[in-house]
């Protein structure tokens, strides 16, 4: 479904991604783990068209997407849930969700998808009219995810959904990622919380200072000494 081939991304003269290649197959949950500053967010921003690689290719369903505008990429089925949620604070929950569908014209289905999101996140249903800036961190994460789902993505890019949230809320959000995946959405999940990410993923990549240093099935990585030591809090 997605094939990233040898991309290099720079911020000025900072070389943030170095010859990165990875693959996501349809139906999978793939996780990209790595420490602060490893380049995880940079990779997601490059996939969704916010950053342009200096070299390399990104194939999405056989189309080359490097250089395409972010809007075109969303339309083709890739939605990004950014780090730090970024909901529109002065707008209600429902308005935020509707914005997620702004590129769509199929009114009838948009209504259905809104109901679907409320079913997934009953708390958002209760808070439809509430200003998003007054939601808790966990609720904002759910809203950001709901908003991305309103674009009917085939591939959902999630940037550190666990950040700053209590373990119980993280568990809930990860359960919903699994549900959405079972219902047909492919997921690329970026996480510092390697433990949680590997527990739901099919496959994983480890990114260190802009380079992929390890990859394999989630199970293999959970058992790898290097991953245990560096990312799972010791062997
Ligand atoms: P975090 O979890 O802390 O967000 P990350 O793995 O997502 O980490 P990135 O945000 O992708 O890391 O950052 C990768 C590298 O690029 C870091 O060294 C960072 O300082 C640098 N970087 C990120 N954004 C910019 C920017 N806008 N301008 C310059 N350098 C940047």
């Amino acid at each position: 479904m997605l094939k990233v081939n040898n991309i290099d991304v720079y911020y000025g003269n900072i070389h943030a991604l170095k010859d990165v290649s990875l693959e996501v197959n349809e139906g999978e949950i793939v996780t990209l783990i790595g420490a602060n500053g490893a380049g995880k967010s940079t990779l997601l921003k490059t996939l969704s068209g916010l950053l342009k690689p200096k070299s390399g290719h990104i194939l999405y369903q056989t189309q080359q997407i490097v250089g395409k505008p972010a809007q075109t990429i969303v339309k083709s089925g890739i939605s990004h849930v950014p780090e730090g949620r970024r909901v529109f604070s002065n707008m209600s929950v429902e308005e935020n969700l509707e914005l997620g569908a702004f590129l769509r014209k199929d009114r009838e289905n948009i209504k259905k998808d809104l109901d679907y999101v409320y079913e997934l996140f009953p708390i958002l249903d209760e808070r439809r009219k509430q200003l998003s800036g007054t939601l808790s961190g966990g609720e904002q994460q759910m809203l950001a995810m709901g908003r991305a789902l309103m674009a009917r993505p085939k591939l959902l890019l999630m940037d550190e959904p666990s950040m700053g949230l209590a373990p119980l809320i993280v568990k809930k959000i990860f359960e919903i990622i699994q549900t959405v995946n079972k219902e047909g959405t492919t997921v690329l999940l970026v996480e510092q919380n390697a433990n949680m990410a590997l527990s739901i993923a099919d496959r994983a990549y480890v990114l260190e200072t802009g380079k992929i240093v390890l990859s394999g099935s989630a199970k293999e990585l959970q058992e790898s000494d290097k991953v245990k030591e560096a990312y799972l809090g010791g062997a």
Side-chain angles (χ1 to χ4, degrees):
M1 176 178 228
L2 180 79
K3 241 185 172 134
V4 176
N5 290 331
N6 312 99
I7 58 166
D8 284 277
V9 177
Y10 290 80
Y11 297 103
N13 52 18
I14 297 170
H15 197 175
L17 292 180
K18 300 167 188 154
D19 198 28
V20 166
S21 297
L22 59 83
E23 234 179 279
V24 181
N25 301 310
E26 190 156 359
E28 282 186 314
I29 299 181
V30 173
T31 186
L32 179 69
I33 57 180
N36 253 326
K40 306 181 300 298
S41 303
T42 301
L43 180 72
L44 292 195
K45 286 180 191 158
T46 308
L47 296 178
S48 57
L50 302 173
L51 292 171
K52 194 166 178 266
K54 195 159 186 181
S55 54
H57 302 283
I58 303 173
L59 284 173
Y60 168 66
Q61 293 187 320
T62 72
Q63 268 188 64
Q64 168 71 246
I65 58 170
V66 168
K68 293 210 170 151
Q71 266 204 3
T72 310
I73 294 178
V74 176
K75 265 197 191 151
S76 71
I78 301 182
S79 274
H80 187 169
V81 186
E83 186 174 12
R85 354 299 179 194
R86 317 239 164 176
V87 298
F88 297 99
S89 314
N90 293 324
M91 293 170 82
S92 70
V93 165
E94 188 139 306
E95 285 165 342
N96 266 277
L97 291 176
E98 283 166 353
L99 266 184
F102 86 107
L103 290 172
R104 295 173 51 187
K105 304 254 173 332
D106 47 338
R107 282 273 131 214
E108 193 73 351
N109 288 328
I110 292 175
K111 174 76 184 66
K112 269 192 212 144
D113 290 345
L114 195 58
D115 291 340
Y116 170 67
V117 169
Y118 285 140
E119 230 171 84
L120 276 179
F121 303 105
I123 190 79
L124 297 182
D125 193 5
E126 284 168 35
R127 290 163 189 252
R128 284 175 190 235
K129 302 284 169 237
Q130 189 170 324
L131 283 185
S132 304
T134 63
L135 296 173
S136 72
E139 291 159 358
Q140 289 191 14
Q141 183 61 54
M142 293 178 194
L143 179 56
M145 196 177 161
R147 187 180 56 193
L149 290 174
M150 288 299 293
R152 282 221 174 173
K154 297 188 188 86
L155 173 64
L156 188 64
L157 309 176
M158 299 212 52
D159 199 346
E160 298 214 21
S162 77
M163 196 172 60
L165 302 180
L168 259 183
I169 314 260
V170 173
K171 189 162 170 270
K172 170 101 198 129
I173 285 169
F174 275 60
E175 279 167 10
I176 293 171
I177 297 174
Q178 284 179 294
T179 305
V180 167
N181 173 253
K182 284 203 186 92
E183 287 168 0
T185 311
T186 305
V187 179
L188 177 58
L189 168 68
V190 154
E191 260 300 338
Q192 271 195 64
N193 186 338
N195 218 349
M196 283 299 288
L198 291 173
S199 76
I200 67 162
D202 298 299
R203 290 187 305 110
Y205 294 86
V206 180
L207 193 65
E208 272 176 16
T209 55
K211 278 195 196 136
I212 303 275
V213 293
L214 212 57
S215 65
S217 72
K219 195 161 181 302
E220 278 163 0
L221 292 209
Q222 272 170 326
E223 285 161 7
S224 127
D225 287 337
K226 181 173 164 57
V227 172
K228 280 187 195 165
E229 210 174 288
Y231 302 100
L232 298 175

